Amino acid sequence: MQRQSDRPPLKVGILGATGTVGQRFITLLSVHPWFTIHALGASSRSIGKPYATAVNWKQVTHMPSAVKDMVVQECKPDAFAECSVVFSGLDADVAGEIESAFRAAELAVFSNAKNFRRDPHVPLVVPLVNPGHLSILEQQKALHSPPLKKGFIVTNANCSTTAHVIPLAALEKKFGPIDALMVTTMQAISGAGYPGVPSLDIIDNVVPYISGEEEKIEWETRKILGGISDVDPEQPVGDKALQQFDMHADTPLKISASCNRVPVTVGHMMNVSVQFSRRPPPSPQQVCEALSSYRPDAQLQGCPSAPLQTITVHEEPDRPQPRMDRAHQDGAGVSVGRVRQCPVFDIKFVVLADNVSIGAATSSIINAEYAILKGIVEG
Ligand SMILES: NC(=O)C1=CN([C@@H]2O[C@H](COP(=O)(O)OP(=O)(O)OC[C@H]3O[C@@H](n4cnc5c(N)ncnc54)[C@H](OP(=O)(O)O)[C@@H]3O)[C@@H](O)[C@H]2O)C=CC1
Ligand SMILES: N[C@@H](CC(=O)OP(=O)(O)O)C(=O)O
């Protein structure tokens, strides 16, 4: 289904509009073909101020003039009531309560925060991988107390999870299940928001610990790459069986993640080694072809923010690199390189993703576009 080009733009709101992810939302949404920014929300530090005064603008592009004079609102549903979609870049300390209130007020929330990712009725969607998981939203609305007509929460993944799960999905699509996976991250400072990691901790240094990150990568990857199955046909929700995320249970996926903070401003890079179920495993050449030719449904359906090339495969031995490759396609795709045989598992490679774009804001936006194309959000 396509959205007609003569339809009026849909009003959207941004929660956490002054933060690192919020600013990227503003940059992307200010030129979006379907959306117009209608309301901005942030903390009491910013409420009541014109956006240009409230924000500490850190984007490499100029602040869009359309938002400069918009007054920052309290994160309460009233000011966002006219929004067809509400994007959230809220700090996780407050996202749970605020996003719940917006859902209860019949608003469609697309969140970057971690709070609801493990909720059994909330889809955890990397749009270039598993937008089909949006089908659980009917159940989420039906089981809400009271049941909802339009209000729901969709989350996108941790930024490192997003980076590796895209090539992993391409490989599983072509070669079948992955059994085991080792991943070591080199994560940019901007992943920690602003001001993030103190300069004296990160300049001339690597910090081999990011709180909670390894557990998130290991758990979220299974939810995203897994499917949805019926729990109990005897206990229907409406006219359908109760459903659950199967967490890749048919072919259990062992994952070991190690996370490091490195002195890079933007762009999470990860070394990944995978072992396939199938024997013999694919060759590096076959893996490169599978990655380059991967076309996710979000692209095929015509989501305007989906990258034309989802996975860019580099042949140069020293690419991708954050400074050189993170801006490719506005950070909407991922870059892979050094695809080669792994002496312990089967194949190893490096992947790079812009943690603030496809790792956060761009993913939320593509999720909303997909929901509109599928009629989940009225568009
Ligand atoms: N940075 C990244 O690469 C990624 C971040 N995320 C997630 O996205 C979310 C945002 O991250 P990021 O932009 O980096 O964080 P920032 O710290 O840069 O921004 C946080 C935002 O939340 C707002 N906020 C804080 N407290 C409150 C409150 N009490 N009420 C209302 N608003 C509040 C801030 O407003 P104010 O300016 O007024 O204080 C600000 O707009 C987080 O949940 C994070 O985990 C996910 C993937 C990647
Ligand atoms: N923790 C990530 C960014 C982030 O905020 O992740 P999450 O949304 O999973 O809490 C990083 O530091 O790079």
Side-chain angles (χ1 to χ4, degrees):
M1 190 172 121
Q2 291 297 311
R3 186 172 193 270
Q4 301 300 321
S5 53
D6 58 353
R7 304 291 304 270
L10 296 171
K11 292 179 181 172
V12 300
I14 305 167
L15 301 172
T18 48
T20 303
V21 174
Q23 292 179 32
R24 189 63 56 90
F25 271 129
I26 286 185
T27 305
L28 296 167
L29 292 169
S30 65
V31 292
H32 196 278
W34 300 353
F35 300 138
T36 182
I37 300 171
H38 178 69
L40 304 175
S43 77
S44 54
R45 193 189 62 76
S46 311
I47 294 167
K49 295 182 187 166
Y51 184 72
T53 310
V55 73
N56 185 2
W57 188 255
K58 293 291 173 192
Q59 301 297 296
V60 291
T61 51
H62 289 186
M63 189 187 305
S65 48
V67 295
K68 284 184 178 166
D69 296 327
M70 285 179 75
V71 174
V72 178
Q73 309 285 330
E74 190 176 1
C75 292
K76 292 258 170 75
D78 280 1
F80 294 76
E82 289 178 35
C83 295
S84 300
V85 169
V86 176
F87 295 105
S88 170
L90 281 171
D91 191 295
D93 286 349
V94 295
E97 210 173 305
I98 295 174
E99 292 171 3
S100 283
F102 274 62
R103 171 173 63 183
E106 295 284 12
L107 289 160
V109 179
F110 290 81
S111 173
N112 282 278
K114 65 182 177 189
N115 307 60
F116 291 98
R117 290 183 194 149
R118 292 186 183 226
D119 185 301
H121 311 300
V122 171
L124 173 56
V125 182
V126 173
L128 305 179
V129 175
N130 64 326
H133 283 195
L134 292 175
S135 64
I136 204 89
L137 289 174
E138 280 309 314
Q139 178 169 310
Q140 184 190 133
K141 289 188 283 185
L143 293 178
H144 189 270
S145 177
L148 297 169
K149 291 195 175 68
K150 297 196 303 185
F152 60 71
I153 295 171
V154 171
T155 58
N156 45 278
N158 168 272
C159 36
S160 295
T161 307
T162 300
H164 83 156
V165 92
I166 295 171
L168 295 176
L171 295 179
E172 288 210 319
K173 186 173 179 192
K174 187 76 178 181
F175 305 116
I178 290 168
D179 278 347
L181 153 69
M182 297 268 292
V183 55
T184 302
T185 72
M186 292 157 273
Q187 297 183 220
I189 308 163
S190 56
Y194 186 84
V197 188
S199 55
L200 281 178
D201 285 345
I202 198 64
I203 293 174
D204 185 30
N205 206 11
V206 171
V207 181
Y209 175 67
I210 303 174
S211 175
E213 198 79 354
E214 294 170 356
E215 295 78 2
K216 279 188 269 186
I217 294 173
E218 291 168 5
W219 193 91
E220 291 178 15
T221 300
R222 294 191 187 94
K223 182 167 177 179
I224 295 161
L225 291 180
I228 296 182
S229 57
D230 291 352
V231 182
D232 184 359
E234 302 301 313
Q235 277 193 343
V237 180
D239 56 0
K240 287 172 76 181
L242 182 70
Q243 295 193 308
Q244 66 180 2
F245 296 100
D246 71 20
M247 302 297 292
H248 214 276
D250 284 352
T251 47
L253 171 53
K254 277 188 283 179
I255 309 176
S256 173
S258 304
C259 294
N260 303 282
R261 186 76 70 195
V262 298
V264 165
T265 55
V266 177
H268 286 2
M269 199 146 92
M270 307 161 77
N271 291 121
V272 185
S273 293
V274 296
Q275 178 177 282
F276 295 90
S277 289
R278 84 171 214 178
R279 299 281 113 198
S283 68
Q285 182 59 31
Q286 289 172 315
V287 164
C288 287
E289 283 162 13
L291 296 174
S292 298
S293 61
Y294 180 61
R295 299 282 175 273
D297 199 35
Q299 182 192 4
L300 299 174
Q301 297 288 331
C303 292
S305 302
L308 287 178
Q309 182 67 32
T310 301
I311 303 169
T312 300
V313 179
H314 288 267
E315 287 181 4
E316 311 90 314
D318 59 352
R319 298 283 283 278
Q321 295 179 17
R323 210 172 54 206
M324 298 174 84
D325 298 305
R326 63 191 168 206
H328 182 49
Q329 303 182 102
D330 240 357
V334 300
S335 297
V336 167
R338 306 210 63 219
V339 178
R340 60 213 191 277
Q341 252 154 5
C342 172
V344 178
F345 285 171
D346 294 329
I347 291 285
K348 56 183 174 177
F349 57 87
V350 59
V351 57
L352 169 77
D354 181 324
N355 50 297
V356 192
S357 292
I358 194 61
T362 307
S363 276
S364 267
I365 294 171
I366 306 173
N367 281 342
E369 293 168 354
Y370 193 91
I372 288 165
L373 288 175
K374 293 290 174 185
I376 297 166
V377 171
E378 237 173 80

